[in-house]
Amino acid sequence: MATSTIASTINGFFSGGLPIKLSAYDGSVAGDVSSPYGLKILNQRGLSYILTAPGDLGLARAYVSGDLELEGTHPGDPYPLLRLIVGSTDFARPSVSEIARIVKDLGLSSFVPPKPPAHEHLPAWRTAVEGIRTAGLNALKRHTQERDAEAIHHHYDVSNTFYEYVLGPSMAYTCAVFPHPDATLEEAQAEKFDLICRKLGLKPGDRLLDVGCGWGGMVRHAAKHYGVKALGVTLSREQASWAAQAIKEDGLDDVAEVRFSDYRDVVEGEFDAISSIGMTEHIGVKNYESYFSFLHSKLKDDGRLLNHCITRNDNASKATAGAFIDRYVFPDGELTGSGTIVVAAENAGFEVQHHENFRRHYAKTLTGWNKNLVDNWEACIAETDLGTAKVWGLYMAGSRVGFETNEIQLHHVLATKTPKNGQPGAGQTTYPMRHDFGV
């Protein structure tokens, strides 16, 4: 029996084979050899990454470490290649005899796991083990304040300058809302903040709390255009520093503040409105009810909450975001369906008033971010490093595919703290009979 080549062996792991070209350092080629797009395994370490972490994680490790090359596409926007292989990267389970043959053909050394790239965050079990050594059994708990702070630091404290290149002047790292198909990314981000202000019914003199406020885009927009007094909180020291400077430059020091703080440490209350934009993804599904209960306690009667969150297309799938996202992008991130969010908000005492999906808007947002990364590729590498830039290109393009194929969605859930008797509180105006967000 002829010895299998590297390319043919790896291609055989993918159900039906890859719809793009697969080549390897032994000169072998497999898959669709006529495709303008391809994966090229450059060395044995790349092969070992793929063999020892089958599927997306192994491919990502090999790519980020420089041991796997994407052909026919820019690393800042590998969308064209990823769009072709979506749903094709899960390994088929080989039989015992097939495993024995593969080990014989490729060598036992190919199955020794290499050390993961430095860009990879420890998996949950390793994080717990390391934490137990210093913090005891409490380290087994996900979404403690300490562990959440570390996860946010991993993702958001890359470099403010890097984010300026990728996100653009708005520094808005959440789904934009495109008022028309030809709107620019900046116009769409401004529309997103304005729509949330309108949904919250903000008016001069109101007090707004923005949890997980990022670089303060919502805080500054609401203070500047709606005359509110706004407080934002973020677990990223880099974000808080950037936002403080932007607030100062905008002349909003007296009405806007971004605080480096866990939302659970906010002592103020009696807010007229709360915005939670891209925050729920980080808190853990099991903590939804306690999260919404906390926000409920911070609102005045008839106050409004707008929750903006990436969601799954169902409420039954496992909430984990996947190995690549968990290790390289959002450690401990969890996604579930919008129905789970609605249930948790209602169980916390909120009356849900409006529920809206912006899935296709997020695909367009990611397209804009990938373009920014490509346009500023060399500057982004200089600001961080090649591996980080690759992670971001892969993550954003892959997410775009997920939104386009309805694997993931983005929902707004608007709710009110309705008094128990269903009537407006003293000096308050109840939610209108029909909502009108001025669109």
Side-chain angles (χ1 to χ4, degrees), residues 254-392:
D254 58 334
V255 290
E257 176 190 357
V258 167
R259 187 180 297 170
F260 173 52
S261 169
D262 191 290
Y263 76 91
R264 288 163 284 199
D265 292 332
V266 173
V267 296
E268 296 91 337
E270 292 292 297
F271 289 96
D272 297 280
I274 297 176
S275 51
S276 171
I277 307 173
M279 175 70 174
T280 325
E281 299 91 328
H282 298 289
I283 65 174
V285 175
K286 290 182 179 179
N287 298 317
Y288 278 7
E289 285 195 28
S290 61
Y291 176 68
F292 287 117
S293 293
F294 178 85
L295 300 185
H296 189 271
S297 73
K298 294 296 178 180
L299 280 171
K300 292 180 178 178
D301 281 353
D302 294 304
R304 300 188 191 185
L305 165 71
L306 188 287
N307 194 78
H308 165 127
C309 179
I310 300 172
T311 56
R312 291 197 178 279
N313 60 6
D314 65 70
N315 295 274
S317 299
K318 193 174 180 180
T320 55
F324 169 68
I325 297 295
D326 187 60
R327 306 285 184 91
Y328 287 88
V329 187
F330 293 113
D332 292 344
E334 295 181 11
L335 302 179
T336 188
S338 61
T340 304
I341 294 171
V342 169
V343 169
E346 291 177 336
N347 287 348
F350 281 104
E351 180 180 6
V352 172
Q353 303 285 0
H354 188 258
H355 185 186
E356 187 173 5
N357 186 3
F358 290 92
R359 172 178 68 84
R360 290 182 291 176
H361 290 260
Y362 217 154
K364 283 180 67 66
T365 303
L366 288 155
T367 302
W369 290 342
N370 271 125
K371 183 180 184 304
N372 286 344
L373 180 57
V374 170
D375 290 346
N376 297 285
W377 183 248
E378 296 301 329
C380 286
I381 293 173
E383 182 62 27
T384 54
D385 57 72
L386 178 59
T388 297
K390 282 182 172 181
V391 167
W392 281 85

Side-chain angles (χ1 to χ4, degrees), residues 21 24 29 66 79 82 110 168 172 188 191 203 218 275 314 330 337 368 395 405 426:
K21 181 172 66 175
V29 180
Y79 169 81
L82 297 182
S110 298
E191 173 63 17
K203 59 187 183 300
M218 177 65 188
S275 51
D314 65 70
F330 293 113
Y395 147 64
T405 58

Side-chain angles (χ1 to χ4, degrees), residues 57-350:
L57 181 59
L59 291 169
R61 283 175 171 172
Y63 175 58
V64 172
S65 64
D67 303 313
L68 177 72
E69 187 176 278
L70 307 186
E71 298 182 313
T73 187
H74 192 288
D77 188 9
Y79 169 81
L81 186 153
L82 297 182
R83 191 68 177 84
L84 288 173
I85 65 174
V86 62
S88 302
T89 57
D90 290 336
F91 271 26
R93 188 181 297 275
S95 65
V96 174
S97 61
E98 287 174 326
I99 292 174
R101 176 182 58 80
I102 293 167
V103 171
K104 179 177 180 294
D105 289 347
L106 301 184
L108 187 60
S109 61
S110 298
F111 290 85
V112 177
K115 183 180 179 179
H119 305 81
E120 184 168 318
H121 188 269
L122 287 174
W125 68 270
R126 283 284 304 279
T127 300
V129 169
E130 295 295 326
I132 288 172
R133 294 175 182 171
T134 57
L137 293 178
N138 190 54
L140 291 173
K141 298 178 181 178
R142 302 182 80 177
H143 303 292
T144 61
Q145 291 196 19
E146 295 79 8
R147 185 156 162 174
D148 283 350
E150 172 57 29
I152 294 301
H153 170 73
H154 174 85
H155 186 72
Y156 292 103
D157 290 344
V158 175
S159 157
N160 284 334
T161 301
F162 175 83
Y163 279 107
E164 288 173 352
Y165 287 132
V166 175
L167 303 180
S170 70
M171 286 294 274
Y173 185 36
T174 46
C175 176
V177 175
F178 290 79
H180 55 83
D182 297 324
T184 67
L185 180 59
E186 289 303 305
E187 290 170 340
Q189 290 292 11
E191 173 63 17
K192 180 262 300 294
F193 289 131
D194 207 72
L195 176 61
I196 292 174
C197 289
R198 299 194 303 266
K199 286 184 173 183
L200 289 173
L202 296 181
K203 59 187 183 300
D206 281 352
R207 294 175 63 240
L208 168 71
L209 172 64
D210 185 30
V211 288
C213 67
W215 289 271
M218 177 65 188
V219 167
R220 288 184 290 125
H221 187 97
K224 183 185 299 184
H225 299 287
Y226 285 81
V228 306
K229 187 166 186 178
L231 168 65
V233 292
T234 173
L235 276 174
S236 167
R237 189 183 298 274
E238 291 292 320
Q239 287 181 335
S241 175
W242 192 98
Q245 182 61 32
I247 288 170
K248 185 176 184 63
E249 291 174 359
D250 286 348
L252 299 171
D253 302 68
D254 58 334
V255 290
E257 176 190 357
V258 167
R259 187 180 297 170
F260 173 52
S261 169
D262 191 290
Y263 76 91
R264 288 163 284 199
D265 292 332
V266 173
V267 296
E268 296 91 337
E270 292 292 297
F271 289 96
D272 297 280
I274 297 176
S275 51
S276 171
I277 307 173
M279 175 70 174
T280 325
E281 299 91 328
H282 298 289
I283 65 174
V285 175
K286 290 182 179 179
N287 298 317
Y288 278 7
E289 285 195 28
S290 61
Y291 176 68
F292 287 117
S293 293
F294 178 85
L295 300 185
H296 189 271
S297 73
K298 294 296 178 180
L299 280 171
K300 292 180 178 178
D301 281 353
D302 294 304
R304 300 188 191 185
L305 165 71
L306 188 287
N307 194 78
H308 165 127
C309 179
I310 300 172
T311 56
R312 291 197 178 279
N313 60 6
D314 65 70
N315 295 274
S317 299
K318 193 174 180 180
T320 55
F324 169 68
I325 297 295
D326 187 60
R327 306 285 184 91
Y328 287 88
V329 187
F330 293 113
D332 292 344
E334 295 181 11
L335 302 179
T336 188
S338 61
T340 304
I341 294 171
V342 169
V343 169
E346 291 177 336
N347 287 348
F350 281 104

